[in-house]
Amino acid sequence: MTTKDTTQIIPIPPAIYVGNFGLGGCPVLFGIFKRMKEVWGDDFYEKTAWYADGFSVIFVIQLLCGHTSTQIEQGYKSVIRKMHSTPNYWTGQNIWLDMYVQYILQNEPKILSILETHPIHIGVTIPFCQHTWKDSWKSLEELYKYVKASYNIPLYCNHCETIEGEEVVYGSYSCTLEDLILVDENIFKISTNPNLSDIFCRLSTWDTYFINQEESLYNYFFGLGYESCFNEIDRNNINDRNSDDSVNKNRYRGMNVGMLWVCWIGKGIQLTYEYIVQEIIEK
């Protein structure tokens, strides 16, 4: 893949939303980051406000901590290798991912002050389809809990901790265009959800959630993200996204109702299982 120059410097949007890529589609996101870095500079992440939910939260936090593209990609690949070599189908496939997040937070002693200067707004879903943002944390433990909650898909993942006394699930599934427009009408959206993305880079459900170790597929997804971002940004119309009437008529589009059903049914199964274990089997 050859590097392409931008003939005109395009202003970075005032806010960027990074939504659902699943775990399998994250190489697409890395390709998008690469193109953004070429257009807006290595420190582009310091020049805008960030909103994220789902698995993408992890990698946006790494960006804000100043991690290089190599560090982010190698970290992702190490998690994928672990998930294949030592799967945790019964305890939750998020185990290795949780450990990776914990490793990042523990090795960034100034992360709370970093996120005060360059905040990230993390989205979670509270019962049953309400999307909510959080942008400040009192401790690493609280930040860790929110990150895990944002990418929690019940049954695929283990039962995550409650947030302020409420059960929560995957943040991206409840996010709507209205949620983003309320943040900033010129927010630049990146996601595999076509209703919540300004970059046309659609992946199949299989590509999004199936975790593949093949380097050729990784490179294909990475190139897909890079080229899609290049084509979109270089049209120089990224700040004109939400001005047409069609957007105002469809402000609640984007919510993945089907996956929300899956998540909350899965959450119910987890809670029922825990109740049976604690109240019947252990007693």
Side-chain angles (χ1 to χ4, degrees), residues 176-189:
T176 66
L177 191 60
E178 174 77 359
D179 292 314
L180 300 179
I181 291 176
L182 287 174
V183 167
D184 192 309
E185 289 200 351
N186 293 314
I187 192 168
F188 186 54
K189 304 176 290 297

Side-chain angles (χ1 to χ4, degrees), residues 58 79 92-104 144 147-149 151-152 157-158 160:
I58 304 165
V79 172
Q93 278 288 72
N94 59 307
I95 299 300
W96 295 115
L97 199 58
D98 290 355
M99 293 176 65
Y100 179 60
V101 173
Q102 191 171 41
Y103 171 81
I104 293 171
Y144 181 47
V147 174
K148 290 189 298 178
Y151 62 70
N152 188 267
C157 301
N158 60 9
C160 69

